[in-house]
Amino acid sequence: MSRVHPEYDESRRLVDGSIRTADDGDPVLVGTECAECGFVVFPTRPFCRNCLSENVDDIDLSRNGELRTYTVAHTGQEGFEPPYAFGFVDLPEGVRLYSLLKGWESGTLEVGAPVELTLDEIKPDPKTGEPLFGHVFRLVEGDDD
Amino acid sequence: MTERDVAVVGVGQSDFGELEGQRVTEFGGRAVREALLASNLDNDAVEEAYIGNVASAAQDQTGVVGQAVLREVGVTGIPITRVENACASSTCAFREAYKSIRSNERDVVLALGVEKMTGVPTDVALKDMSGASDAEVEGPMGMTFMGVYGMRANAYMDRFGDVREELADIAVKNHANGLANPHAHLHLDVDRDDVLESRMVADPIRLLDACPMSDGAAAAVLARGDVAEQLSDEPVYVDAVEASSGHYLDSDLEYWREELDERVSEQAYREAGIGPDDLDVVEVHDAATIGELMHYEGLGLASHGKGASLVRNGDVMLDGRIPVNPSGGLKSRGHPVGATGVAQVCELVWQLRGEAGDRQVEDPTIGLAQNSGGALVGEGGVSTVTILSTR
């Protein structure tokens, strides 16, 4: 199963600079690491949130993380078809981020579940109706699948 | 008693609910009028005013909503400042009023909260609410505010086990209390099954776990202690108003824990010289039932994971050891976001003066109100704790 939506187009990223496709064709989240204090932030930033240094570099973040918590929304924002799931994902770099969740069925989401990054449709552009893309984490498939 | 004491002289509240056809100036003015009458004050005695409001400017009403409301009651020609801090806006307005008296700048200051949420286009109402989260990733990627509560509830139940029935019982309690509150938005008689069978909103939060969106206003007149004592036989002293925000930079926050409440309430208890065991009546921010449960723990009414026991053993019932949300809370009284904090203050003042009618708690002398607003990375945007007493 591809980790990048077949219609993905860089011009239609919902959050600029937050995600790209790597040389291996898989998606990667881009964060910023501080060379002074080591603080890592997502999405990218021009200076360090922790020590204020400008001595920072963009880095690729891990594709695999752990679900910290989640919910399934049965009523939601316009452009999102319920039921849809979202939660907070912890990455090994010490970054926690909000993400829509896919690859779940009723009852399969749980705290601590391993999740992996995909680049998927988020919602239609309210002006053009064209899909907007971004990071979506999906449950890592178990052995019994 | 020192001259730095601050007291609430009088309070007023409009009805909460879908105030169809009423402008903010109408129901806002009504709340202030009631507060001034209850305080035995002429409108020209107010030296300054702070107004909690979230949505007025976004709804193309006015950015000077405080001036517009106060013009209706002749409170003019003074500094009037709008305070916006999501659902805690009017407690933050109350806090500014308190500080200006504490610092000897003023003798009589008005705190007001006013919000119009119904009867506006849905996209505007949703925009009003989604503004209470991160606008770069969370809001644009579909997070909902009840979703934040759903996520907290799942983290809590992962750690401490299933509390769905206790959450339903919190909704039942607050609706039962709200039936005795003439200002409440939802007068509903519901039982546990009604809640557990209501439509799912953000798993496990169901429709009857969630507060409604309401219109409404609430006002409080604060004065320096000696001034308040001249105006009223029953001044209600402000022993603490504390507020703080989340840490956000830490990625190890546990969503089952109200760490922000813990910090704010610790400051407030220290300021007031009391502890949680001294409280007689409590109002908390139950935008969703899991919020109320977690505030029990954040305020130290129960230890981590033990909040549900306060529901099971009846402690938080109107006639219990520590009644919580006798007003009906956000759940029943309603949640006009910028007015909720001062509405909590109104309830505490009525309770402490024995004026709460059929929802009166028995002889309270110390009350606490906790008000929350917004979230970033799922962590609270603001939490406030106010402690009032008749000493």
Side-chain angles (χ1 to χ4, degrees), chain A residues 20-54:
Chain A
R20 61 181 176 80
T21 45
D23 294 341
D24 62 6
D26 277 342
V28 63
L29 285 173
V30 187
T32 299
E33 182 174 37
C34 177
E36 305 289 342
C37 74
F39 188 81
V40 181
V41 64
F42 170 84
T44 55
R45 287 292 184 267
F47 57 81
C48 177
R49 197 177 263 185
N50 186 49
C51 77
L52 314 186
S53 169
E54 281 189 313

PDB file of all heavy atoms in Angstrom, chain A residues 20-54:
ATOM      1  N   ARG A  20       7.167  16.381   2.739  1.00  0.00           N
ATOM      2  CA  ARG A  20       7.617  16.251   1.348  1.00  0.00           C
ATOM      3  C   ARG A  20       7.804  14.781   1.051  1.00  0.00           C
ATOM      4  O   ARG A  20       7.770  13.941   1.959  1.00  0.00           O
ATOM      5  CB  ARG A  20       8.920  17.017   1.116  1.00  0.00           C
ATOM      6  CG  ARG A  20      10.065  16.517   1.965  1.00  0.00           C
ATOM      7  CD  ARG A  20      11.333  17.329   1.715  1.00  0.00           C
ATOM      8  NE  ARG A  20      12.388  16.891   2.625  1.00  0.00           N
ATOM      9  CZ  ARG A  20      13.138  15.802   2.439  1.00  0.00           C
ATOM     10  NH1 ARG A  20      12.959  15.038   1.370  1.00  0.00           N
ATOM     11  NH2 ARG A  20      14.059  15.466   3.324  1.00  0.00           N
ATOM     12  N   THR A  21       7.984  14.476  -0.229  1.00  0.00           N
ATOM     13  CA  THR A  21       8.306  13.098  -0.558  1.00  0.00           C
ATOM     14  C   THR A  21       9.828  12.959  -0.621  1.00  0.00           C
ATOM     15  O   THR A  21      10.517  13.785  -1.212  1.00  0.00           O
ATOM     16  CB  THR A  21       7.696  12.680  -1.909  1.00  0.00           C
ATOM     17  OG1 THR A  21       7.925  13.718  -2.853  1.00  0.00           O
ATOM     18  CG2 THR A  21       6.214  12.445  -1.776  1.00  0.00           C
ATOM     19  N   ALA A  22      10.338  11.927   0.045  1.00  0.00           N
ATOM     20  CA  ALA A  22      11.787  11.706   0.103  1.00  0.00           C
ATOM     21  C   ALA A  22      12.244  10.983  -1.181  1.00  0.00           C
ATOM     22  O   ALA A  22      11.431  10.595  -2.015  1.00  0.00           O
ATOM     23  CB  ALA A  22      12.132  10.886   1.337  1.00  0.00           C
ATOM     24  N   ASP A  23      13.572  10.797  -1.309  1.00  0.00           N
ATOM     25  CA  ASP A  23      14.126  10.154  -2.506  1.00  0.00           C
ATOM     26  C   ASP A  23      13.589   8.738  -2.700  1.00  0.00           C
ATOM     27  O   ASP A  23      13.487   8.255  -3.820  1.00  0.00           O
ATOM     28  CB  ASP A  23      15.668  10.107  -2.416  1.00  0.00           C
ATOM     29  CG  ASP A  23      16.251  11.517  -2.464  1.00  0.00           C
ATOM     30  OD1 ASP A  23      15.521  12.436  -2.926  1.00  0.00           O
ATOM     31  OD2 ASP A  23      17.394  11.704  -2.019  1.00  0.00           O
ATOM     32  N   ASP A  24      13.246   8.077  -1.596  1.00  0.00           N
ATOM     33  CA  ASP A  24      12.731   6.707  -1.717  1.00  0.00           C
ATOM     34  C   ASP A  24      11.243   6.679  -2.089  1.00  0.00           C
ATOM     35  O   ASP A  24      10.642   5.613  -2.179  1.00  0.00           O
ATOM     36  CB  ASP A  24      12.969   5.926  -0.411  1.00  0.00           C
ATOM     37  CG  ASP A  24      12.243   6.549   0.786  1.00  0.00           C
ATOM     38  OD1 ASP A  24      11.466   7.518   0.575  1.00  0.00           O
ATOM     39  OD2 ASP A  24      12.453   6.073   1.915  1.00  0.00           O
ATOM     40  N   GLY A  25      10.670   7.863  -2.315  1.00  0.00           N
ATOM     41  CA  GLY A  25       9.272   7.907  -2.738  1.00  0.00           C
ATOM     42  C   GLY A  25       8.282   7.936  -1.595  1.00  0.00           C
ATOM     43  O   GLY A  25       7.093   8.149  -1.807  1.00  0.00           O
ATOM     44  N   ASP A  26       8.757   7.722  -0.397  1.00  0.00           N
ATOM     45  CA  ASP A  26       7.865   7.761   0.759  1.00  0.00           C
ATOM     46  C   ASP A  26       7.827   9.183   1.339  1.00  0.00           C
ATOM     47  O   ASP A  26       8.735   9.969   1.141  1.00  0.00           O
ATOM     48  CB  ASP A  26       8.348   6.775   1.831  1.00  0.00           C
ATOM     49  CG  ASP A  26       7.862   5.361   1.540  1.00  0.00           C
ATOM     50  OD1 ASP A  26       6.910   5.224   0.742  1.00  0.00           O
ATOM     51  OD2 ASP A  26       8.442   4.408   2.102  1.00  0.00           O
ATOM     52  N   PRO A  27       6.741   9.501   2.067  1.00  0.00           N
ATOM     53  CA  PRO A  27       6.649  10.846   2.641  1.00  0.00           C
ATOM     54  C   PRO A  27       7.536  10.997   3.859  1.00  0.00           C
ATOM     55  O   PRO A  27       7.860  10.014   4.526  1.00  0.00           O
ATOM     56  CB  PRO A  27       5.172  10.929   3.032  1.00  0.00           C
ATOM     57  CG  PRO A  27       4.765   9.529   3.311  1.00  0.00           C
ATOM     58  CD  PRO A  27       5.565   8.660   2.389  1.00  0.00           C
ATOM     59  N   VAL A  28       7.888  12.227   4.133  1.00  0.00           N
ATOM     60  CA  VAL A  28       8.637  12.506   5.351  1.00  0.00           C
ATOM     61  C   VAL A  28       8.190  13.861   5.901  1.00  0.00           C
ATOM     62  O   VAL A  28       7.958  14.805   5.153  1.00  0.00           O
ATOM     63  CB  VAL A  28      10.166  12.443   5.092  1.00  0.00           C
ATOM     64  CG1 VAL A  28      10.606  13.513   4.099  1.00  0.00           C
ATOM     65  CG2 VAL A  28      10.946  12.557   6.390  1.00  0.00           C
ATOM     66  N   LEU A  29       8.033  13.915   7.218  1.00  0.00           N
ATOM     67  CA  LEU A  29       7.688  15.172   7.888  1.00  0.00           C
ATOM     68  C   LEU A  29       8.966  15.961   8.113  1.00  0.00           C
ATOM     69  O   LEU A  29      10.006  15.398   8.438  1.00  0.00           O
ATOM     70  CB  LEU A  29       7.065  14.895   9.261  1.00  0.00           C
ATOM     71  CG  LEU A  29       5.628  14.393   9.304  1.00  0.00           C
ATOM     72  CD1 LEU A  29       5.275  14.022  10.743  1.00  0.00           C
ATOM     73  CD2 LEU A  29       4.672  15.455   8.783  1.00  0.00           C
ATOM     74  N   VAL A  30       8.854  17.287   7.957  1.00  0.00           N
ATOM     75  CA  VAL A  30      10.019  18.127   8.147  1.00  0.00           C
ATOM     76  C   VAL A  30       9.825  18.965   9.408  1.00  0.00           C
ATOM     77  O   VAL A  30       8.814  19.638   9.572  1.00  0.00           O
ATOM     78  CB  VAL A  30      10.228  19.057   6.930  1.00  0.00           C
ATOM     79  CG1 VAL A  30      11.547  19.813   7.080  1.00  0.00           C
ATOM     80  CG2 VAL A  30      10.200  18.258   5.641  1.00  0.00           C
ATOM     81  N   GLY A  31      10.825  18.891  10.284  1.00  0.00           N
ATOM     82  CA  GLY A  31      10.822  19.703  11.494  1.00  0.00           C
ATOM     83  C   GLY A  31      12.075  20.555  11.534  1.00  0.00           C
ATOM     84  O   GLY A  31      12.832  20.619  10.560  1.00  0.00           O
ATOM     85  N   THR A  32      12.293  21.220  12.664  1.00  0.00           N
ATOM     86  CA  THR A  32      13.481  22.045  12.834  1.00  0.00           C
ATOM     87  C   THR A  32      14.169  21.644  14.133  1.00  0.00           C
ATOM     88  O   THR A  32      13.513  21.539  15.172  1.00  0.00           O
ATOM     89  CB  THR A  32      13.096  23.546  12.882  1.00  0.00           C
ATOM     90  OG1 THR A  32      12.466  23.890  11.658  1.00  0.00           O
ATOM     91  CG2 THR A  32      14.318  24.419  13.086  1.00  0.00           C
ATOM     92  N   GLU A  33      15.503  21.424  14.038  1.00  0.00           N
ATOM     93  CA  GLU A  33      16.278  21.064  15.226  1.00  0.00           C
ATOM     94  C   GLU A  33      17.240  22.188  15.567  1.00  0.00           C
ATOM     95  O   GLU A  33      17.877  22.760  14.685  1.00  0.00           O
ATOM     96  CB  GLU A  33      17.068  19.776  14.975  1.00  0.00           C
ATOM     97  CG  GLU A  33      17.857  19.325  16.200  1.00  0.00           C
ATOM     98  CD  GLU A  33      18.527  17.962  15.995  1.00  0.00           C
ATOM     99  OE1 GLU A  33      18.990  17.685  14.863  1.00  0.00           O
ATOM    100  OE2 GLU A  33      18.576  17.181  16.957  1.00  0.00           O
ATOM    101  N   CYS A  34      17.343  22.501  16.846  1.00  0.00           N
ATOM    102  CA  CYS A  34      18.244  23.562  17.304  1.00  0.00           C
ATOM    103  C   CYS A  34      19.639  22.979  17.538  1.00  0.00           C
ATOM    104  O   CYS A  34      19.783  21.995  18.266  1.00  0.00           O
ATOM    105  CB  CYS A  34      17.714  24.177  18.590  1.00  0.00           C
ATOM    106  SG  CYS A  34      18.809  25.442  19.253  1.00  0.00           S
ATOM    107  N   ALA A  35      20.656  23.612  16.915  1.00  0.00           N
ATOM    108  CA  ALA A  35      22.026  23.124  17.090  1.00  0.00           C
ATOM    109  C   ALA A  35      22.569  23.483  18.470  1.00  0.00           C
ATOM    110  O   ALA A  35      23.543  22.886  18.932  1.00  0.00           O
ATOM    111  CB  ALA A  35      22.922  23.711  16.004  1.00  0.00           C
ATOM    112  N   GLU A  36      21.958  24.461  19.132  1.00  0.00           N
ATOM    113  CA  GLU A  36      22.451  24.892  20.444  1.00  0.00           C
ATOM    114  C   GLU A  36      21.903  23.999  21.568  1.00  0.00           C
ATOM    115  O   GLU A  36      22.643  23.530  22.411  1.00  0.00           O
ATOM    116  CB  GLU A  36      22.032  26.345  20.727  1.00  0.00           C
ATOM    117  CG  GLU A  36      22.449  27.343  19.664  1.00  0.00           C
ATOM    118  CD  GLU A  36      23.959  27.619  19.651  1.00  0.00           C
ATOM    119  OE1 GLU A  36      24.630  27.321  20.660  1.00  0.00           O
ATOM    120  OE2 GLU A  36      24.435  28.105  18.607  1.00  0.00           O
ATOM    121  N   CYS A  37      20.577  23.811  21.581  1.00  0.00           N
ATOM    122  CA  CYS A  37      19.979  23.107  22.732  1.00  0.00           C
ATOM    123  C   CYS A  37      19.339  21.771  22.354  1.00  0.00           C
ATOM    124  O   CYS A  37      18.905  21.028  23.232  1.00  0.00           O
ATOM    125  CB  CYS A  37      18.956  23.998  23.437  1.00  0.00           C
ATOM    126  SG  CYS A  37      17.407  24.184  22.540  1.00  0.00           S
ATOM    127  N   GLY A  38      19.242  21.486  21.064  1.00  0.00           N
ATOM    128  CA  GLY A  38      18.725  20.186  20.642  1.00  0.00           C
ATOM    129  C   GLY A  38      17.207  20.097  20.558  1.00  0.00           C
ATOM    130  O   GLY A  38      16.658  19.056  20.218  1.00  0.00           O
ATOM    131  N   PHE A  39      16.506  21.197  20.836  1.00  0.00           N
ATOM    132  CA  PHE A  39      15.037  21.178  20.804  1.00  0.00           C
ATOM    133  C   PHE A  39      14.545  20.965  19.369  1.00  0.00           C
ATOM    134  O   PHE A  39      15.052  21.567  18.428  1.00  0.00           O
ATOM    135  CB  PHE A  39      14.498  22.504  21.354  1.00  0.00           C
ATOM    136  CG  PHE A  39      13.008  22.517  21.554  1.00  0.00           C
ATOM    137  CD1 PHE A  39      12.438  21.945  22.686  1.00  0.00           C
ATOM    138  CD2 PHE A  39      12.168  23.104  20.605  1.00  0.00           C
ATOM    139  CE1 PHE A  39      11.057  21.961  22.868  1.00  0.00           C
ATOM    140  CE2 PHE A  39      10.788  23.126  20.786  1.00  0.00           C
ATOM    141  CZ  PHE A  39      10.242  22.544  21.921  1.00  0.00           C
ATOM    142  N   VAL A  40      13.557  20.081  19.234  1.00  0.00           N
ATOM    143  CA  VAL A  40      13.006  19.785  17.904  1.00  0.00           C
ATOM    144  C   VAL A  40      11.545  20.218  17.872  1.00  0.00           C
ATOM    145  O   VAL A  40      10.790  19.975  18.821  1.00  0.00           O
ATOM    146  CB  VAL A  40      13.107  18.280  17.580  1.00  0.00           C
ATOM    147  CG1 VAL A  40      12.545  17.989  16.182  1.00  0.00           C
ATOM    148  CG2 VAL A  40      14.546  17.800  17.685  1.00  0.00           C
ATOM    149  N   VAL A  41      11.148  20.871  16.772  1.00  0.00           N
ATOM    150  CA  VAL A  41       9.795  21.392  16.658  1.00  0.00           C
ATOM    151  C   VAL A  41       9.205  21.004  15.297  1.00  0.00           C
ATOM    152  O   VAL A  41       9.931  20.850  14.326  1.00  0.00           O
ATOM    153  CB  VAL A  41       9.790  22.936  16.855  1.00  0.00           C
ATOM    154  CG1 VAL A  41      10.577  23.629  15.757  1.00  0.00           C
ATOM    155  CG2 VAL A  41       8.375  23.486  16.939  1.00  0.00           C
ATOM    156  N   PHE A  42       7.902  20.809  15.257  1.00  0.00           N
ATOM    157  CA  PHE A  42       7.178  20.585  14.014  1.00  0.00           C
ATOM    158  C   PHE A  42       5.948  21.472  14.005  1.00  0.00           C
ATOM    159  O   PHE A  42       5.264  21.562  15.045  1.00  0.00           O
ATOM    160  CB  PHE A  42       6.728  19.122  13.878  1.00  0.00           C
ATOM    161  CG  PHE A  42       5.777  18.911  12.721  1.00  0.00           C
ATOM    162  CD1 PHE A  42       6.265  18.710  11.443  1.00  0.00           C
ATOM    163  CD2 PHE A  42       4.390  18.970  12.916  1.00  0.00           C
ATOM    164  CE1 PHE A  42       5.389  18.547  10.372  1.00  0.00           C
ATOM    165  CE2 PHE A  42       3.514  18.810  11.846  1.00  0.00           C
ATOM    166  CZ  PHE A  42       4.016  18.599  10.569  1.00  0.00           C
ATOM    167  N   PRO A  43       5.558  22.126  12.901  1.00  0.00           N
ATOM    168  CA  PRO A  43       6.297  22.258  11.642  1.00  0.00           C
ATOM    169  C   PRO A  43       7.538  23.149  11.805  1.00  0.00           C
ATOM    170  O   PRO A  43       7.812  23.617  12.900  1.00  0.00           O
ATOM    171  CB  PRO A  43       5.269  22.940  10.717  1.00  0.00           C
ATOM    172  CG  PRO A  43       3.956  22.877  11.406  1.00  0.00           C
ATOM    173  CD  PRO A  43       4.256  22.809  12.862  1.00  0.00           C
ATOM    174  N   THR A  44       8.229  23.387  10.691  1.00  0.00           N
ATOM    175  CA  THR A  44       9.509  24.098  10.729  1.00  0.00           C
ATOM    176  C   THR A  44       9.363  25.519  11.274  1.00  0.00           C
ATOM    177  O   THR A  44       8.308  26.138  11.155  1.00  0.00           O
ATOM    178  CB  THR A  44      10.114  24.199   9.308  1.00  0.00           C
ATOM    179  OG1 THR A  44       9.149  24.816   8.453  1.00  0.00           O
ATOM    180  CG2 THR A  44      10.460  22.823   8.775  1.00  0.00           C
ATOM    181  N   ARG A  45      10.465  25.986  11.866  1.00  0.00           N
ATOM    182  CA  ARG A  45      10.496  27.325  12.430  1.00  0.00           C
ATOM    183  C   ARG A  45      11.850  27.972  12.131  1.00  0.00           C
ATOM    184  O   ARG A  45      12.855  27.267  12.038  1.00  0.00           O
ATOM    185  CB  ARG A  45      10.306  27.266  13.957  1.00  0.00           C
ATOM    186  CG  ARG A  45       8.879  26.945  14.409  1.00  0.00           C
ATOM    187  CD  ARG A  45       7.954  28.092  14.082  1.00  0.00           C
ATOM    188  NE  ARG A  45       6.592  27.929  14.555  1.00  0.00           N
ATOM    189  CZ  ARG A  45       5.590  27.415  13.838  1.00  0.00           C
ATOM    190  NH1 ARG A  45       5.804  26.986  12.625  1.00  0.00           N
ATOM    191  NH2 ARG A  45       4.368  27.354  14.340  1.00  0.00           N
ATOM    192  N   PRO A  46      11.882  29.320  12.018  1.00  0.00           N
ATOM    193  CA  PRO A  46      13.156  30.005  11.705  1.00  0.00           C
ATOM    194  C   PRO A  46      14.083  30.158  12.906  1.00  0.00           C
ATOM    195  O   PRO A  46      15.253  30.471  12.735  1.00  0.00           O
ATOM    196  CB  PRO A  46      12.698  31.378  11.205  1.00  0.00           C
ATOM    197  CG  PRO A  46      11.368  31.593  11.841  1.00  0.00           C
ATOM    198  CD  PRO A  46      10.739  30.229  12.016  1.00  0.00           C
ATOM    199  N   PHE A  47      13.588  29.998  14.109  1.00  0.00           N
ATOM    200  CA  PHE A  47      14.481  30.046  15.287  1.00  0.00           C
ATOM    201  C   PHE A  47      13.928  29.123  16.360  1.00  0.00           C
ATOM    202  O   PHE A  47      12.785  28.659  16.278  1.00  0.00           O
ATOM    203  CB  PHE A  47      14.697  31.472  15.811  1.00  0.00           C
ATOM    204  CG  PHE A  47      13.436  32.206  16.169  1.00  0.00           C
ATOM    205  CD1 PHE A  47      12.808  31.999  17.384  1.00  0.00           C
ATOM    206  CD2 PHE A  47      12.874  33.122  15.271  1.00  0.00           C
ATOM    207  CE1 PHE A  47      11.653  32.682  17.712  1.00  0.00           C
ATOM    208  CE2 PHE A  47      11.712  33.806  15.586  1.00  0.00           C
ATOM    209  CZ  PHE A  47      11.100  33.583  16.815  1.00  0.00           C
ATOM    210  N   CYS A  48      14.751  28.855  17.370  1.00  0.00           N
ATOM    211  CA  CYS A  48      14.394  27.849  18.367  1.00  0.00           C
ATOM    212  C   CYS A  48      13.377  28.399  19.369  1.00  0.00           C
ATOM    213  O   CYS A  48      13.575  29.453  19.972  1.00  0.00           O
ATOM    214  CB  CYS A  48      15.654  27.394  19.106  1.00  0.00           C
ATOM    215  SG  CYS A  48      15.274  26.212  20.430  1.00  0.00           S
ATOM    216  N   ARG A  49      12.334  27.654  19.549  1.00  0.00           N
ATOM    217  CA  ARG A  49      11.265  28.004  20.478  1.00  0.00           C
ATOM    218  C   ARG A  49      11.758  27.921  21.929  1.00  0.00           C
ATOM    219  O   ARG A  49      11.247  28.595  22.809  1.00  0.00           O
ATOM    220  CB  ARG A  49      10.163  26.966  20.254  1.00  0.00           C
ATOM    221  CG  ARG A  49       8.833  27.307  20.780  1.00  0.00           C
ATOM    222  CD  ARG A  49       7.871  26.205  20.395  1.00  0.00           C
ATOM    223  NE  ARG A  49       7.112  26.537  19.192  1.00  0.00           N
ATOM    224  CZ  ARG A  49       6.129  25.770  18.717  1.00  0.00           C
ATOM    225  NH1 ARG A  49       5.824  24.643  19.318  1.00  0.00           N
ATOM    226  NH2 ARG A  49       5.479  26.122  17.638  1.00  0.00           N
ATOM    227  N   ASN A  50      12.744  27.090  22.161  1.00  0.00           N
ATOM    228  CA  ASN A  50      13.204  26.843  23.526  1.00  0.00           C
ATOM    229  C   ASN A  50      14.292  27.824  23.964  1.00  0.00           C
ATOM    230  O   ASN A  50      14.173  28.455  25.003  1.00  0.00           O
ATOM    231  CB  ASN A  50      13.705  25.405  23.636  1.00  0.00           C
ATOM    232  CG  ASN A  50      14.069  25.028  25.058  1.00  0.00           C
ATOM    233  OD1 ASN A  50      13.286  25.253  25.983  1.00  0.00           O
ATOM    234  ND2 ASN A  50      15.264  24.484  25.245  1.00  0.00           N
ATOM    235  N   CYS A  51      15.376  27.972  23.145  1.00  0.00           N
ATOM    236  CA  CYS A  51      16.502  28.828  23.572  1.00  0.00           C
ATOM    237  C   CYS A  51      16.646  30.073  22.701  1.00  0.00           C
ATOM    238  O   CYS A  51      17.542  30.880  22.923  1.00  0.00           O
ATOM    239  CB  CYS A  51      17.800  28.032  23.604  1.00  0.00           C
ATOM    240  SG  CYS A  51      18.519  27.736  21.980  1.00  0.00           S
ATOM    241  N   LEU A  52      15.769  30.218  21.698  1.00  0.00           N
ATOM    242  CA  LEU A  52      15.688  31.411  20.842  1.00  0.00           C
ATOM    243  C   LEU A  52      16.839  31.530  19.839  1.00  0.00           C
ATOM    244  O   LEU A  52      16.921  32.523  19.098  1.00  0.00           O
ATOM    245  CB  LEU A  52      15.575  32.699  21.673  1.00  0.00           C
ATOM    246  CG  LEU A  52      14.560  32.675  22.833  1.00  0.00           C
ATOM    247  CD1 LEU A  52      14.462  34.058  23.470  1.00  0.00           C
ATOM    248  CD2 LEU A  52      13.188  32.212  22.372  1.00  0.00           C
ATOM    249  N   SER A  53      17.729  30.538  19.794  1.00  0.00           N
ATOM    250  CA  SER A  53      18.843  30.589  18.849  1.00  0.00           C
ATOM    251  C   SER A  53      18.344  30.502  17.402  1.00  0.00           C
ATOM    252  O   SER A  53      17.359  29.827  17.109  1.00  0.00           O
ATOM    253  CB  SER A  53      19.788  29.422  19.129  1.00  0.00           C
ATOM    254  OG  SER A  53      20.724  29.314  18.073  1.00  0.00           O
ATOM    255  N   GLU A  54      19.071  31.211  16.510  1.00  0.00           N
ATOM    256  CA  GLU A  54      18.774  31.076  15.073  1.00  0.00           C
ATOM    257  C   GLU A  54      19.621  29.987  14.439  1.00  0.00           C
ATOM    258  O   GLU A  54      19.509  29.727  13.236  1.00  0.00           O
ATOM    259  CB  GLU A  54      19.042  32.403  14.348  1.00  0.00           C
ATOM    260  CG  GLU A  54      17.923  33.408  14.527  1.00  0.00           C
ATOM    261  CD  GLU A  54      18.095  34.635  13.634  1.00  0.00           C
ATOM    262  OE1 GLU A  54      19.222  35.163  13.609  1.00  0.00           O
ATOM    263  OE2 GLU A  54      17.124  35.043  12.981  1.00  0.00           O
TER     264      GLU A  54
END
